[in-house]
PDB file of all heavy atoms in Angstrom:
ATOM      1  N   ASP A 181      -7.325  16.663  -4.628  1.00 98.00           N
ATOM      2  CA  ASP A 181      -6.056  15.993  -4.438  1.00 98.00           C
ATOM      3  C   ASP A 181      -4.942  17.003  -4.242  1.00 98.00           C
ATOM      4  O   ASP A 181      -4.036  16.813  -3.445  1.00 98.00           O
ATOM      5  CB  ASP A 181      -5.744  15.151  -5.620  1.00 98.00           C
ATOM      6  CG  ASP A 181      -6.523  13.887  -5.690  1.00 98.00           C
ATOM      7  OD1 ASP A 181      -7.211  13.576  -4.655  1.00 98.00           O
ATOM      8  OD2 ASP A 181      -6.425  13.079  -6.615  1.00 98.00           O
ATOM      9  N   TRP A 182      -4.882  18.025  -5.041  1.00 98.00           N
ATOM     10  CA  TRP A 182      -3.832  18.972  -4.968  1.00 98.00           C
ATOM     11  C   TRP A 182      -3.788  19.568  -3.503  1.00 98.00           C
ATOM     12  O   TRP A 182      -2.767  19.690  -2.901  1.00 98.00           O
ATOM     13  CB  TRP A 182      -3.976  20.099  -6.045  1.00 98.00           C
ATOM     14  CG  TRP A 182      -2.801  20.998  -6.172  1.00 98.00           C
ATOM     15  CD1 TRP A 182      -1.664  20.884  -7.059  1.00 98.00           C
ATOM     16  CD2 TRP A 182      -2.451  22.087  -5.374  1.00 98.00           C
ATOM     17  NE1 TRP A 182      -0.787  21.865  -6.808  1.00 98.00           N
ATOM     18  CE2 TRP A 182      -1.211  22.727  -5.821  1.00 98.00           C
ATOM     19  CE3 TRP A 182      -3.075  22.781  -4.282  1.00 98.00           C
ATOM     20  CZ2 TRP A 182      -0.603  23.749  -5.249  1.00 98.00           C
ATOM     21  CZ3 TRP A 182      -2.508  23.898  -3.746  1.00 98.00           C
ATOM     22  CH2 TRP A 182      -1.221  24.416  -4.188  1.00 98.00           C
ATOM     23  N   HIS A 183      -4.980  20.095  -3.117  1.00 98.00           N
ATOM     24  CA  HIS A 183      -5.028  20.722  -1.768  1.00 98.00           C
ATOM     25  C   HIS A 183      -4.788  19.662  -0.631  1.00 98.00           C
ATOM     26  O   HIS A 183      -4.115  20.022   0.309  1.00 98.00           O
ATOM     27  CB  HIS A 183      -6.442  21.351  -1.590  1.00 98.00           C
ATOM     28  CG  HIS A 183      -6.622  22.606  -2.354  1.00 98.00           C
ATOM     29  ND1 HIS A 183      -6.386  23.827  -1.833  1.00 98.00           N
ATOM     30  CD2 HIS A 183      -7.180  22.836  -3.559  1.00 98.00           C
ATOM     31  CE1 HIS A 183      -6.652  24.754  -2.723  1.00 98.00           C
ATOM     32  NE2 HIS A 183      -7.157  24.164  -3.853  1.00 98.00           N
ATOM     33  N   ALA A 184      -5.311  18.516  -0.809  1.00 98.00           N
ATOM     34  CA  ALA A 184      -5.058  17.463   0.224  1.00 98.00           C
ATOM     35  C   ALA A 184      -3.566  17.087   0.352  1.00 98.00           C
ATOM     36  O   ALA A 184      -3.079  17.031   1.408  1.00 98.00           O
ATOM     37  CB  ALA A 184      -5.931  16.237  -0.101  1.00 98.00           C
ATOM     38  N   HIS A 185      -2.934  16.910  -0.772  1.00 98.00           N
ATOM     39  CA  HIS A 185      -1.486  16.652  -0.708  1.00 98.00           C
ATOM     40  C   HIS A 185      -0.705  17.784  -0.101  1.00 98.00           C
ATOM     41  O   HIS A 185       0.192  17.656   0.767  1.00 98.00           O
ATOM     42  CB  HIS A 185      -0.906  16.366  -2.070  1.00 98.00           C
ATOM     43  CG  HIS A 185      -1.175  14.873  -2.485  1.00 98.00           C
ATOM     44  ND1 HIS A 185      -0.639  13.836  -1.898  1.00 98.00           N
ATOM     45  CD2 HIS A 185      -1.826  14.365  -3.541  1.00 98.00           C
ATOM     46  CE1 HIS A 185      -0.999  12.717  -2.446  1.00 98.00           C
ATOM     47  NE2 HIS A 185      -1.684  13.044  -3.505  1.00 98.00           N
ATOM     48  N   ALA A 186      -1.047  19.033  -0.452  1.00 97.00           N
ATOM     49  CA  ALA A 186      -0.287  20.216   0.057  1.00 97.00           C
ATOM     50  C   ALA A 186      -0.585  20.345   1.579  1.00 97.00           C
ATOM     51  O   ALA A 186       0.335  20.541   2.392  1.00 97.00           O
ATOM     52  CB  ALA A 186      -0.800  21.410  -0.667  1.00 97.00           C
ATOM     53  N   MET A 187      -1.815  20.150   1.989  1.00 98.00           N
ATOM     54  CA  MET A 187      -2.089  20.277   3.481  1.00 98.00           C
ATOM     55  C   MET A 187      -1.537  19.208   4.283  1.00 98.00           C
ATOM     56  O   MET A 187      -1.079  19.324   5.272  1.00 98.00           O
ATOM     57  CB  MET A 187      -3.631  20.286   3.604  1.00 98.00           C
ATOM     58  CG  MET A 187      -4.280  21.612   3.158  1.00 98.00           C
ATOM     59  SD  MET A 187      -6.018  21.620   3.614  1.00 98.00           S
ATOM     60  CE  MET A 187      -6.450  23.285   2.867  1.00 98.00           C
ATOM     61  N   LYS A 188      -1.560  17.906   3.722  1.00 97.00           N
ATOM     62  CA  LYS A 188      -0.890  16.766   4.365  1.00 97.00           C
ATOM     63  C   LYS A 188       0.492  17.001   4.570  1.00 97.00           C
ATOM     64  O   LYS A 188       1.087  16.768   5.640  1.00 97.00           O
ATOM     65  CB  LYS A 188      -1.224  15.493   3.605  1.00 97.00           C
ATOM     66  CG  LYS A 188      -0.648  14.207   4.213  1.00 97.00           C
ATOM     67  CD  LYS A 188      -0.977  12.963   3.416  1.00 97.00           C
ATOM     68  CE  LYS A 188      -0.520  11.771   4.079  1.00 97.00           C
ATOM     69  NZ  LYS A 188      -0.663  10.541   3.224  1.00 97.00           N
ATOM     70  N   ASN A 189       1.228  17.372   3.482  1.00 97.00           N
ATOM     71  CA  ASN A 189       2.639  17.685   3.555  1.00 97.00           C
ATOM     72  C   ASN A 189       2.960  18.711   4.601  1.00 97.00           C
ATOM     73  O   ASN A 189       3.945  18.670   5.362  1.00 97.00           O
ATOM     74  CB  ASN A 189       3.225  18.101   2.232  1.00 97.00           C
ATOM     75  CG  ASN A 189       3.221  16.996   1.211  1.00 97.00           C
ATOM     76  OD1 ASN A 189       3.143  15.810   1.602  1.00 97.00           O
ATOM     77  ND2 ASN A 189       3.231  17.280  -0.046  1.00 97.00           N
ATOM     78  N   HIS A 190       2.192  19.841   4.612  1.00 97.00           N
ATOM     79  CA  HIS A 190       2.410  20.892   5.543  1.00 97.00           C
ATOM     80  C   HIS A 190       2.089  20.516   7.023  1.00 97.00           C
ATOM     81  O   HIS A 190       2.858  20.811   7.965  1.00 97.00           O
ATOM     82  CB  HIS A 190       1.519  22.095   5.141  1.00 97.00           C
ATOM     83  CG  HIS A 190       2.072  23.359   5.645  1.00 97.00           C
ATOM     84  ND1 HIS A 190       3.151  23.935   4.971  1.00 97.00           N
ATOM     85  CD2 HIS A 190       1.812  24.237   6.682  1.00 97.00           C
ATOM     86  CE1 HIS A 190       3.458  25.089   5.548  1.00 97.00           C
ATOM     87  NE2 HIS A 190       2.678  25.263   6.605  1.00 97.00           N
ATOM     88  N   ARG A 191       1.067  19.648   7.278  1.00 96.00           N
ATOM     89  CA  ARG A 191       0.757  19.096   8.583  1.00 96.00           C
ATOM     90  C   ARG A 191       1.849  18.321   9.094  1.00 96.00           C
ATOM     91  O   ARG A 191       2.279  18.397  10.221  1.00 96.00           O
ATOM     92  CB  ARG A 191      -0.583  18.338   8.599  1.00 96.00           C
ATOM     93  CG  ARG A 191      -1.820  19.085   8.461  1.00 96.00           C
ATOM     94  CD  ARG A 191      -3.067  18.236   8.873  1.00 96.00           C
ATOM     95  NE  ARG A 191      -3.017  16.896   8.182  1.00 96.00           N
ATOM     96  CZ  ARG A 191      -3.616  16.698   6.970  1.00 96.00           C
ATOM     97  NH1 ARG A 191      -4.182  17.683   6.350  1.00 96.00           N
ATOM     98  NH2 ARG A 191      -3.635  15.420   6.484  1.00 96.00           N
ATOM     99  N   GLU A 192       2.436  17.497   8.173  1.00 95.00           N
ATOM    100  CA  GLU A 192       3.403  16.518   8.566  1.00 95.00           C
ATOM    101  C   GLU A 192       4.816  17.225   8.904  1.00 95.00           C
ATOM    102  O   GLU A 192       5.548  16.957   9.793  1.00 95.00           O
ATOM    103  CB  GLU A 192       3.739  15.494   7.567  1.00 95.00           C
ATOM    104  CG  GLU A 192       2.473  14.424   7.529  1.00 95.00           C
ATOM    105  CD  GLU A 192       2.615  13.523   6.337  1.00 95.00           C
ATOM    106  OE1 GLU A 192       3.459  13.608   5.499  1.00 95.00           O
ATOM    107  OE2 GLU A 192       1.731  12.581   6.235  1.00 95.00           O
TER     108      GLU A 192
END
Side-chain angles (χ1 to χ4, degrees):
D181 282 357
W182 192 96
H183 286 273
H185 279 297
M187 290 184 180
K188 182 179 182 181
N189 292 340
H190 207 74
R191 286 195 311 273
E192 291 173 353

